[in-house]
Amino acid sequence: MDTKTPTALAIPTRRDALQAQVSWGTRTVTVGGDAPVRLQSMTNTDTTDAIGTAIQVKELALAGSEMVRITVDTPEAAQAVPYVRDQLDRMGIDVPLIGDFHFNGHRLLTDYPECAQALSKYRINPGNVGKGDKRDRQFSQLIEAALRWQKPVRIGVNWGSLDQELLASLMDDNSRRSVPWDAKLVMYEALITSALESAQQAVDLGMQRSQIILSCKVSGVRDLVAVYRELGRRCNNPLHLGLTEAGMGTKGTVASSVALGVLLQEGIGDTIRVSLTPAPGESRTQEVVIASEILQALGLRNFVPSVTACPGCGRTTSTTFQELTQEIDDFLREQMPVWRERFPGVENMKVAVMGCIVNGPGESKHADIGISLPGTGEAPAAPVYIDGEKRMTLRGTSIAAEFRQVVENYIQQRFGVSGGSSTN
């Protein structure tokens, strides 16, 4: 028998990237190398509202965002940044802040040193730094500020604001080829060239290459995959992934999941953001939830206990299993900010909530703790499995409440530090 693992079944390995350090106070978030793929997000508040911005940053951080980007576009916003940082420090939120700069970042970082110091990283868009002679001078000012305050940078190219001079030059070069490239391929090359040339310019100015994170964001799934495959092949900088405008709801969720899933499965990507347009009244934290679910679905990281549930069919007689699944899922997510400290390892727990006897017992045995609710024609009993063994059967009208208590007890007994199981 041939024991060699088929290529298609081989476990993917991460691309070998340099490591960047994004720090605030005693907290350091390592990006790249053998560090886990990091989650980040961005506020949509007016940064001049320091309290409102700090509150949203806190919400994003508690949802799992390990870095949060804020807009710094005016002198007033730059002046507000230290106050945002101060409010976060008062709340005990040490998440690093990233300043998002376009057009006037060189002036803001120079004129407002307290802003430059309060931020943990600067995002620079080479397409919006300036044109002609101003471009090099203003880009240099941004890098000089990063060097002065010892901050890493993300050079983030975006095809909606691509350097038009560079694109025109590459188009001219393409027209002289014996067999010209397709226009989209020229666009890809312009994105990659802009990122790589800007990174080299930063290195020439004195930055360590490891402190330069690169991104080339587009809004098309196949475009993103093509660009990052080539970008990853041509550099060893840490890479930030994300569709630049994913969209709303299902569309944005699916597009981001497909694009990021393909690249992450190939080992490409060191930090991600899901740029989801929130529905009216929807929390900004939804983009963090989706990003964490992508990483968890790929088996790259665990953030909250996973809940397995069947979709329901003609065998399921009520909405009880749906309601219980929702209740347990919401409960686990709500408790995680506290449980991360109290119950180390709880994020790896698996819970199953099934609606009938067909797959219910099997799925429950595969989970750490599972329940199989009665379906059509089944006895009004719900067997509960813990660590692969049937431990009890719940009956009556309070099955949901009793199962939730069983889950809580299990977490305390297995993952509680006092129980000696904190290493699970």
Side-chain angles (χ1 to χ4, degrees):
M1 178 178 176
D2 184 4
T3 59
K4 183 178 179 181
T5 303
T7 302
L9 299 180
I11 298 173
T13 56
R14 285 275 298 281
R15 165 181 165 272
D16 187 16
L18 298 170
Q19 285 192 338
Q21 307 291 329
V22 185
S23 304
W24 181 256
T26 59
R27 181 178 181 182
T28 297
V29 177
T30 303
V31 179
D34 59 357
V37 179
R38 300 298 187 179
L39 292 179
Q40 64 176 275
S41 55
M42 185 176 184
T43 60
N44 59 359
T45 57
D46 184 344
T47 306
T48 59
D49 176 10
I51 299 296
T53 299
I55 289 173
Q56 190 174 86
V57 171
K58 178 182 178 180
E59 292 172 349
L60 292 166
L62 291 178
S65 187
E66 293 163 296
M67 294 173 280
V68 178
R69 184 156 44 111
I70 61 176
T71 298
V72 188
D73 57 345
T74 64
E76 293 76 18
Q79 290 174 317
V81 168
Y83 294 100
V84 174
R85 181 72 267 173
D86 182 62
Q87 289 297 322
L88 291 169
D89 291 343
R90 289 172 182 269
M91 293 186 289
I93 303 298
D94 59 357
V95 63
L97 292 178
I98 304 167
D100 192 62
F101 295 100
H102 298 271
F103 308 111
N104 60 354
H106 60 290
R107 291 200 305 271
L108 297 178
L109 286 173
T110 301
D111 295 344
Y112 299 95
E114 291 184 350
C115 166
Q117 190 172 12
L119 294 168
S120 297
K121 188 174 76 168
Y122 310 148
R123 185 278 173 111
I124 304 170
N125 183 342
N128 289 338
V129 170
K131 297 180 180 179
D133 295 338
K134 288 184 178 180
R135 193 265 179 204
D136 287 344
R137 183 170 66 253
Q138 292 172 179
F139 182 84
S140 295
Q141 286 181 262
L142 288 162
I143 299 303
E144 287 166 3
L147 291 170
R148 183 181 308 118
W149 299 107
Q150 298 182 317
K151 309 292 183 179
V153 300
R154 171 161 71 92
I155 296 177
V157 183
N158 191 310
W159 76 348
S161 51
L162 186 56
D163 184 336
Q164 293 302 301
E165 294 176 354
L166 172 62
L167 179 59
S169 174
L170 291 178
M171 286 290 190
D172 289 341
D173 291 343
N174 187 53
S175 67
R176 291 190 286 269
R177 287 191 173 96
S178 57
V179 181
W181 293 358
D182 180 85
K184 181 168 282 191
L185 292 180
V186 180
M187 175 73 78
Y188 293 169
E189 183 61 28
L191 287 161
I192 296 167
T193 298
S194 179
L196 296 179
E197 289 186 350
S198 297
Q200 185 57 52
Q201 186 177 357
V203 170
D204 293 342
L205 290 166
M207 280 211 80
Q208 296 181 31
R209 189 171 295 278
S210 62
Q211 293 301 87
I212 304 170
I213 299 169
L214 298 182
S215 67
C216 288
K217 288 193 173 185
V218 298
S219 56
V221 170
R222 297 179 72 181
D223 299 312
L224 191 83
V225 172
V227 168
Y228 272 89
R229 281 174 173 166
E230 182 63 14
L231 179 63
R233 188 185 69 82
R234 288 162 60 175
C235 75
N236 63 348
N237 297 78
L239 300 182
H240 169 71
L241 302 185
L243 289 171
T244 185
E245 289 100 14
M248 293 184 71
T250 303
K251 187 269 182 186
T253 301
V254 171
S256 294
S257 299
V258 172
L260 273 58
V262 169
L263 291 167
L264 291 167
Q265 181 68 7
E266 294 179 4
I268 301 171
D270 302 289
T271 172
I272 66 170
R273 182 199 171 197
V274 172
S275 299
L276 193 70
T277 304
E282 183 179 55
S283 172
R284 188 69 164 180
T285 59
Q286 186 64 14
E287 67 175 42
V288 183
V289 173
I290 293 170
S292 64
E293 289 287 2
I294 291 171
L295 295 181
Q296 191 148 333
L298 289 168
L300 295 174
R301 295 186 68 181
N302 289 329
F303 297 91
V304 297
S306 64
V307 179
T308 301
C310 66
C313 67
R315 291 178 178 273
T316 52
T317 57
S318 72
T319 60
T320 302
F321 84 95
Q322 298 167 312
E323 294 163 356
L324 180 57
T325 301
Q326 184 69 60
E327 180 181 339
I328 293 297
D329 193 63
D330 290 346
F331 171 66
L332 296 175
R333 288 186 182 280
E334 290 168 1
Q335 296 301 315
M336 277 308 294
V338 175
W339 284 355
R340 286 190 188 99
E341 300 298 327
R342 291 186 58 196
F343 303 119
V346 70
E347 68 275 5
N348 299 313
M349 186 178 73
K350 299 183 185 302
V351 180
V353 180
M354 305 300 292
C356 78
I357 201 171
V358 172
N359 292 319
E363 287 286 357
S364 296
K365 290 177 183 178
H366 289 309
D368 293 302
I369 181 169
I371 186 170
S372 179
L373 297 172
T376 303
E378 295 175 18
V384 174
Y385 293 81
I386 298 177
D387 294 331
E389 298 180 0
K390 182 179 175 181
R391 297 290 181 86
M392 65 189 74
T393 300
L394 304 180
R395 294 181 172 85
T397 59
S398 59
I399 288 177
E402 291 180 21
F403 182 66
R404 173 170 163 167
Q405 187 61 56
V406 170
V407 172
E408 288 189 66
N409 292 341
Y410 178 82
I411 290 171
Q412 292 175 3
Q413 292 170 9
R414 178 177 172 184
F415 299 100
V417 174
S418 61
S421 56
S422 61
T423 58
N424 288 338

